[in-house]
């Protein structure tokens, strides 16, 4: 059967068609998350919407499920035996400076969009790592370094071109396929393969931001100060704080290499002196071992979180908190503090609220707007522990914070919790029911069943 679909694909798509053992197959199947290794029956390196549509139609005709990948940052489930559509070759970006929009092909990263928009004095609402793909990030809501000021990335989408389970290319927007448009923005996967997305651009060239690193012995002091300080911040300021266990790498500053540190991240859309006045209480809590906060060109937004740029094995799990109390902090320190020998790379608390708490002008399916903070635990990139100790340590962190949770999750921070009851926590009950019904409409054959997919009814 696979040779038959391979032949049919070669006759109908312009992009490369790759099968196991063929040169380029392993490279096209690989993604950022090295803990997930896809072994698809066939790969289509799509060059446009027509390739995607042909691939979906042929997959349906031959009984193959369909998976999709761009950068592979969000990979959580191996697409074994599937038809994998790679969108990496789809890289066109069209900026309309007068409308302040960008039409972005599915293979683009945020860094590429930033570079395309910057000459016009504009910027996209990107994530904390600009090497992440635009589409997956946005379909899951999208929380970035300035999210409290502007909201979710999904709140700034104008239009989406998508191939649904029937192999039809559809344009979803407020006036065309409005139900599909609602579902795609926040519903994550399971509704089709997005081929391009049109987003708003912000008239923003600079911000004030960066990070302060504190020593392990100051972890408790910093976290307790953060929970009270965060309540005082305006919407112009977005912050997070992370417990980091850093590897002993020569490229890291000696103050950080091989150390447990607390990383306070801050991004302020406004004047520098205003930001410094806001930051002063945290500077007074303890002496940072390293600090780099100041004016930043938007293109340097990566420097705020300093997320890893290269591929690595990732096991993560997130949850949402209704509050961050003294008891919450103590529970997190007991689960992941500097004295705990846990295989964790990062435990991060992001402050939410502000624009994230408000419905956008065009309502969407994004969940978690009622949360005050998000909590994310990321396991240490130790391949031999990825199926044992690492998931257990990650789970222990979110379970420790459960008494202060909303009961929900944010789907982009869901990690490998793929059981239907786990994924269902990402949306309010009414939203989940509507999403499930729309999955029946746009993917009745359940072709798109890998990853963070809305559970089907029944």
């Amino acid at each position: 059967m696979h040779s038959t679909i391979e032949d049919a694909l070669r006759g109908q798509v312009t992009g490369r068609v790759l099968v196991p053992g063929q040169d380029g197959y392993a490279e096209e199947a690989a993604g950022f998350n090295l803990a997930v290794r896809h072994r698809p029956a066939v790969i289509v390196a799509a060059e446009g919407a027509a390739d995607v549509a042909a691939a979906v139609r042929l997959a349906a005709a031959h009984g193959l499920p369909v998976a999709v990948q761009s950068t592979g940052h969000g990979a959580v489930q191996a697409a074994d035996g599937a038809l994998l559509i790679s969108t990496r070759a789809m890289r066109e970006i069209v900026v309309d400076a007068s409308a302040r929009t960008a039409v972005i092909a599915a293979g683009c990263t945020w860094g590429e969009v930033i570079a395309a928009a910057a000459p016009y004095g504009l910027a996209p609402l990107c994530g904390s790592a600009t090497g992440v793909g635009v589409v997956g990030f946005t379909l899951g809501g999208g929380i970035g370094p300035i999210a409290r000021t502007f909201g979710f990335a999904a709140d700034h989408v104008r239009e989406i071109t998508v191939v649904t389970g029937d192999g039809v290319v559809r344009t979803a927007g407020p006036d065309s396929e409005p139900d599909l448009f609602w579902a795609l923005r926040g519903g994550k996967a399971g509704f089709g393969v997005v081929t391009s997305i049109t987003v708003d651009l912000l008239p923003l060239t600079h911000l004030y931001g960066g990070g302060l690193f504190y020593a392990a012995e100051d972890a408790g002091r910093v976290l307790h100060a953060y929970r009270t300080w965060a309540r005082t911040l305006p919407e112009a300021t977005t912050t997070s704080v992370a417990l980091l266990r850093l590897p002993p790498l020569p490229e890291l500053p000696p103050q950080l290499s091989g150390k447990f540190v607390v990383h306070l991240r801050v991004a302020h859309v406004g004047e520098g002196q205003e930001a410094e006045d806001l930051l002063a209480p945290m500077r007074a809590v303890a002496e940072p071992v390293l600090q780099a906060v100041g004016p930043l060109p938007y293109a340097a937004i990566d420097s705020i979180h300093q997320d890893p740029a290269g591929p690595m094995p990732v096991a993560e799990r997130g949850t949402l908190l209704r509050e961050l109390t003294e008891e919450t902090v103590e529970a997190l320190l007991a689960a992941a503090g500097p004295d705990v020998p846990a295989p964790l790379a990062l435990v991060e608390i992001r402050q939410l609220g502000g624009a994230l708490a408000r419905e956008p002008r065009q309502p969407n399916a994004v969940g978690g707007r009622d949360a005050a903070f998000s909590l994310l635990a990321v396991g240490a990139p130790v391949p031999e522990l990825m199926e044992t100790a690492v998931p257990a340590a990650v789970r222990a962190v979110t379970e420790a914070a459960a008494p202060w949770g909303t009961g929900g999750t944010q789907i982009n921070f869901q990690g490998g919790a793929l059981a239907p009851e786990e994924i269902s926590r990402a949306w309010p009950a009414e939203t989940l029911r509507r999403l499930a019904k729309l999955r029946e409409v746009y993917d009745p054959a359940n072709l798109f069943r890998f990853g963070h997919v809305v559970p089907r009814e029944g």
Side-chain angles (χ1 to χ4, degrees), residues 306-400:
Q306 300 187 24
D307 292 336
M312 58 184 284
V314 176
E316 63 183 23
R317 190 180 183 97
T319 192
L320 295 173
L321 305 178
R322 67 178 184 276
E323 58 184 345
L324 188 63
T325 69
E326 180 178 357
E327 293 77 17
T328 318
V329 168
E330 290 300 321
L332 291 175
L333 289 170
D339 299 325
V340 181
L344 295 166
L346 170 148
V347 174
E348 173 191 76
I349 302 166
R350 293 196 191 204
Q351 185 185 9
L352 306 179
L356 292 166
R358 295 193 291 272
E359 282 289 335
R361 184 176 64 255
Q362 293 289 337
N364 57 38
V366 171
R369 293 186 188 270
D370 59 335
F373 295 89
S374 74
L375 173 67
L376 176 69
V378 179
V382 183
E384 62 270 23
L385 300 179
M386 275 294 159
E387 295 184 5
T388 54
V390 170
V394 165
R395 188 169 54 252
V397 173
T398 56
E399 288 177 352

Side-chain angles (χ1 to χ4, degrees), residues 415-440:
L418 300 179
E421 64 272 16
E422 292 279 4
I423 291 182
S424 295
R425 294 174 56 209
W427 300 280
E430 184 178 346
T431 299
L432 183 65
R433 284 192 293 270
R434 184 179 175 189
L435 286 171
K437 289 177 181 178
L438 289 171
R439 275 213 68 212
E440 296 285 351

Side-chain angles (χ1 to χ4, degrees), residues 29-34 36 38 68-76 88 131 133:
F32 180 90
N33 187 358
L34 300 180
V36 178
H38 300 301
V68 61
Q69 177 169 271
S70 175
T71 65
H73 279 79
V76 291
R88 292 173 184 166

Side-chain angles (χ1 to χ4, degrees), residues 163-364:
V163 177
T164 47
D166 53 4
V168 173
V169 181
R170 301 175 188 269
T171 300
D175 302 315
S176 174
E177 305 278 4
D179 286 338
L180 182 59
F181 185 55
W182 173 86
L184 288 168
R185 295 170 300 132
K188 194 63 174 179
F191 299 94
V193 181
V194 170
T195 60
S196 71
I197 189 166
T198 303
V199 303
D200 292 321
L201 298 175
L202 308 172
L204 190 62
T205 59
H206 289 76
L207 51 88
Y208 199 88
L212 305 178
F213 292 88
Y214 301 89
E217 56 265 28
D218 294 319
R221 189 177 300 113
V222 171
L223 288 187
H224 281 297
Y226 177 78
R227 67 180 176 80
T228 57
W229 174 70
R231 300 173 194 155
T232 70
L233 298 175
E235 289 187 12
T237 307
T238 302
T239 68
S240 64
V241 64
L243 306 178
L244 303 179
R245 287 170 167 85
L246 296 172
L249 299 176
E251 57 264 34
L252 291 174
Q255 305 97 312
L256 306 183
S257 181
K259 304 289 178 60
F260 182 108
V261 294
V262 183
H263 187 195
L264 174 66
R265 300 83 161 264
V266 59
H268 181 77
V269 181
E271 296 299 321
Q273 187 56 55
E274 181 182 42
E276 280 296 327
D277 291 344
L278 290 167
L279 193 55
M282 292 304 296
R283 288 191 186 276
V285 169
E287 182 68 26
V289 298
L290 187 68
Q291 51 187 312
V293 181
L296 289 177
Y298 197 87
I301 199 167
D302 270 349
S303 67
I304 296 173
H305 282 240
Q306 300 187 24
D307 292 336
M312 58 184 284
V314 176
E316 63 183 23
R317 190 180 183 97
T319 192
L320 295 173
L321 305 178
R322 67 178 184 276
E323 58 184 345
L324 188 63
T325 69
E326 180 178 357
E327 293 77 17
T328 318
V329 168
E330 290 300 321
L332 291 175
L333 289 170
D339 299 325
V340 181
L344 295 166
L346 170 148
V347 174
E348 173 191 76
I349 302 166
R350 293 196 191 204
Q351 185 185 9
L352 306 179
L356 292 166
R358 295 193 291 272
E359 282 289 335
R361 184 176 64 255
Q362 293 289 337
N364 57 38

Side-chain angles (χ1 to χ4, degrees), residues 106-135:
C108 295
T109 66
W110 282 119
E112 292 166 338
V113 182
I114 289 170
Y120 305 99
L122 300 171
L125 193 58
C126 65
S128 59
T130 58
V132 168
V134 170
V135 169

